[in-house]
Amino acid sequence: MNSDAGCEITADELATQYGVVPDDGVDDTAGLQNAIDYIKANCSPSASYTKLSRITLPVGVINVSHQIYVDADYLVIRGSGADPDTGTAIHFAPDANTRYDTITADGTDWDQDAMTSGSASGGWIWPGRALFRVQSRAINSAYATEYAAAPANRKDLFEGTVNVHWKVGVKLRDKPGDTGFAARTGDTKVYLATNASLTNLKVGGYVNIRAANSVKFYESMNATGTQWPLLNLHMRQQIFTITAVDSTNKTITVDKPLEYDVPVTSISDGSAQIAGTTFDSKASPLVDPILGVGFENFYLTQDEPNLKRSDATHNYGNMDPAGAMNGILFKWAVNGWVHGIHTEMTGSHPIVTEEAKNLTITGNYLDGAWNKGKGGRGYFRGSRVWDSVYAGNISRNLRHFTFQWSASGNVAIGNDLDSDLNLHGGYERNNLFELNTVHVPYAHRSANCTVNCGEEGGGGTDDSDWYPIWWAAGQKAVKWSGSSGYRNVFFNNTMTKRLDNDVAGPIVTFYSEPHRIFEFGWDGTAFHHLDVGGTPISDWAHNETNNYSTDITGTSHGVYDTMTDPGSSLFLNTVPTP
């Protein structure tokens, strides 16, 4: 079981020592969790990126009934093949303590606010439960008593709270000579409050620099003046590696330049309060990040015996809101990967992130979800993810492929999708989409829905077509976040949209000109909201085919496309021959 190369639990050992026996119809959840816990306790402390531990899953069906935490650093969970007939097939059937027991009054979606225990609510486990959850289980000491008192179906609300920003985040102070701002775009040094605790801020550790929303920030995104409230939260975020800590001057230095200004508070940039409150920006350490976890070479699905898969195809609603479980989730995780996985009909997102960095999501086949409707379900979802690569994946029958909620520095390359590349809002920026093949059928559209229809933020359907690109306008996306950010780049993609339901009907190409670089949300020097004739669009819907290029007067309309590159890729030095 142990070796110089790292610990290994073989498929035979998984059966004999942990009771994970394929094809026996018995719940294998506890056995898998116990195997992971053994690795965590006995192997992870001495493991590394060059000394990985491994759990090998057997050929056959493995039955799982509740969420499995994969919180053992430097662990690979490797199946014996992703073909469900000849390899490892994980069947997830969420039990009563896992399925959501709080549903909105209209029956359409999981009600996070109603899921409470003590001071905790369902939002603490956003983006929801999963089959595999790559996240710390450590509990902030302030919640120990509440955790002990919580029932079985609420204990996970407190797990991972060792990392939550409202407990461990450090307040900031003015940068010398720059009143109101702790750092600016391009800086690497961040000024902490003079009474800041440095206990969890260490060289080599990870920190999320979280900038408070302000009225002026919302205004810059054309996201004010709607029926939707402005919110006190941190839309601008990014995880960095700490390279220096100055305990005397109370500063930290991070490994790369900041991509946004960091006001000390929500009013320190001269804005009025939002909802009568002053909200602090934070330097929030990842106290217990999960490092070096990978998943390889298996099949997973969520069993829904009362539903038919055929009813889910191009049905952008929630067929079982209480069962909207995710497949693989990375939260407060760094340097992880998913490779060679085949998902079929997950409860919601097959692969999803929330505060993760340096991931490689490659060579996976993701097919379908039972819930693709209200609340934003059924995405191939990259949220609050940074410096990661999504390459060579095939996505079918999902709602969107998204970068959202401040996602930055990511590359989506060589993927094959039948849904849109979606800049979903929340100031995502500096992402590259290239060499992707996106063929969007007519049936891929918001109104194609039979039950529990709608979108993220709680809105309803609309009558638009979903084109191969979706861009979040401020007036629209303020429902759930804000507009897309700057310099999201599209290059050498092959993208089409079928415009009617006739199989012989028109197909249009979309932003597919070879070698031209399309930079969305950019005017050559700064962020520029997409506009028509100088007026910012209120919604991408019905504005997809407008010309946002720089016009003959040199005026930008939000897509900077004056540059070309003779190569096939902006990311790769050499593009492999198919």
Side-chain angles (χ1 to χ4, degrees), residues 1-2 7-21 24 26-40 42-43 54-56:
M1 186 176 289
N2 295 304
C7 297
E8 179 179 3
I9 297 176
T10 67
D12 287 344
E13 290 169 333
L14 201 59
T16 58
Q17 298 180 30
Y18 296 95
V20 179
V21 178
D24 64 353
V26 175
D27 190 352
D28 298 303
T29 314
L32 279 173
Q33 189 66 72
N34 289 339
I36 293 165
D37 292 350
Y38 174 87
I39 297 288
K40 178 181 178 181
N42 297 280
C43 309
R54 181 168 73 243
I55 294 174
T56 300

Side-chain angles (χ1 to χ4, degrees), residues 342-538:
H342 178 185
T343 71
E344 185 173 21
M345 299 309 295
T346 48
S348 183
H349 315 304
I351 300 173
V352 57
T353 62
E354 193 72 15
E355 291 194 59
K357 174 180 170 63
N358 300 351
L359 305 182
T360 54
I361 312 298
T362 58
N364 303 292
Y365 192 102
L366 313 177
D367 188 2
W370 295 110
N371 297 280
K372 301 193 294 288
K374 201 165 189 177
R377 309 288 171 215
Y379 301 177
F380 186 179
R381 188 174 194 264
S383 174
R384 294 188 178 99
V385 62
W386 299 281
D387 306 317
S388 297
V389 175
Y390 293 69
N393 302 289
I394 297 173
S395 171
R396 296 290 184 267
N397 302 308
L398 297 174
R399 186 176 175 108
H400 309 299
F401 175 103
T402 69
F403 286 143
Q404 61 187 108
W405 279 107
S406 211
S408 174
N410 304 297
V411 178
I413 181 171
N415 301 289
D416 183 335
L417 305 98
D418 66 353
S419 58
D420 47 302
L421 298 171
N422 194 297
L423 296 164
H424 204 59
Y427 210 62
E428 67 281 356
R429 62 199 174 273
N430 292 329
N431 300 293
L432 173 62
F433 301 85
E434 68 169 24
L435 297 172
N436 299 291
T437 300
V438 184
H439 294 308
V440 180
Y442 173 78
H444 185 68
R445 56 204 314 269
S446 172
N448 211 357
C449 178
T450 62
V451 63
N452 302 325
C453 308
E455 62 187 1
E456 191 162 355
T461 60
D462 61 48
D463 63 351
S464 68
D465 292 304
W466 281 333
Y467 276 71
I469 295 172
W470 196 93
W471 193 88
Q475 298 276 301
K476 168 77 169 185
V478 71
K479 293 180 189 180
W480 57 85
S481 58
S483 80
S484 299
Y486 62 90
R487 297 196 83 175
N488 291 296
V489 177
F490 292 81
F491 181 72
N492 270 6
N493 298 289
T494 300
M495 299 189 288
T496 65
K497 171 67 179 179
R498 185 179 290 279
L499 293 180
D500 65 36
N501 215 18
D502 183 348
V503 294
I507 297 174
V508 297
T509 60
F510 200 71
Y511 286 93
S512 295
E513 181 182 344
H515 306 296
R516 186 159 301 282
I517 301 169
F518 300 98
E519 300 179 70
F520 277 64
W522 191 245
D523 67 4
T525 59
F527 171 70
H528 190 109
H529 192 287
L530 270 59
D531 73 57
V532 175
T535 300
I537 62 171
S538 60

Side-chain angles (χ1 to χ4, degrees), residues 281-302:
S281 296
K282 298 281 186 70
S284 190
L286 275 62
V287 176
D288 186 23
I290 305 304
L291 307 176
V293 166
F295 300 89
E296 301 174 358
N297 206 30
F298 59 82
Y299 168 93
L300 69 86
T301 188
Q302 182 168 313

Side-chain angles (χ1 to χ4, degrees), residues 200-216:
N200 296 312
L201 295 165
K202 304 179 187 303
V203 172
Y206 299 99
V207 63
N208 188 347
I209 304 300
R210 307 171 65 104
N213 285 4
S214 70
V215 173
K216 287 188 175 182

